[in-house]
Amino acid sequence: MTRMLIVGPQGSGKGTQAKLVSQQLGIVAISTGDIFRANIKGETELGKEAKGYVDAGDLVPDSLTNRLVEDRLSWEDAADGFLLDGYPRNRTQAATLNEILDRLGVELDAVLELTADTDELTQRLKHRAETEGRDDDADETVIRRRLELFENETRPMIDEYNTRGLVKQVDGLGSVDEVNARIMEALKS
Ligand code: AMP
């Protein structure tokens, strides 16, 4: 298992697990959210283009996001494996990812789906807003928007991966160590 996606609603712990799992497997974790946030902080051209969308909890346009990922996946450190965190987020991006992987001559091994219920997610997002100072976690309208986008855009994409037999569902409820142990177990099967 060296080429994987990690998907799940905001607050499901996917960023934390992506970093852990990628270290455990010796592959690079690529988070589009982290890339956008770093660019916004650094006030780069990409950051300026993405800022309005990220602040509102909207998706950054597919064309921009797809280009970014295509470039990032061509780096040397992704040649032997990667764990994509936060991308793809909808069916259009998933179709583009297919094309990118075809061009690279590689295939996806698995899609890890972290599950969590909405009440738990809202609690976690509030906690994250306090501890990490993420603006997009602090505002309830933005939180609701992101959860809504997950259900409307990302869920149908996960269903597609499911029909391809790639999805491994893992309960995201519990401590970081507990969830991590479940993921490592799921990846063995
Ligand atoms: P995340 O850290 O994955 O929750 O992403 C934070 C924000 O970055 C999202 O709310 C979007 O505005 C933007 N973003 C991250 N990944 C994507 C993506 N694959 N497509 C579009 N926008 C994205």
Side-chain angles (χ1 to χ4, degrees), residues 29-42 44 46-47 50 68-69 72 75 84-85:
I30 300 174
S31 155
T32 41
D34 281 353
I35 295 174
F36 286 131
R37 277 186 291 279
N39 279 274
I40 291 169
K41 206 165 165 208
T44 66
L46 174 67
L68 170 99
V69 172
R72 186 61 189 83
W75 294 16
L84 277 173
D85 162 17

Side-chain angles (χ1 to χ4, degrees), residues 55-71:
D55 285 351
D58 279 327
L59 292 184
V60 176
D62 290 339
S63 55
L64 191 65
T65 310
N66 287 333
R67 247 187 295 135
L68 170 99
V69 172
E70 173 143 38
D71 174 67

Side-chain angles (χ1 to χ4, degrees), residues 14 27 66 105 109 111 113 116 129 144 146-147 163 165 176 181 183:
K14 109 189 122 66
I27 54 179
N66 287 333
D109 298 315
V111 175
E113 181 190 358
R144 229 177 301 120
R146 286 157 68 217
L147 291 175
T163 55
V176 170
I183 293 177

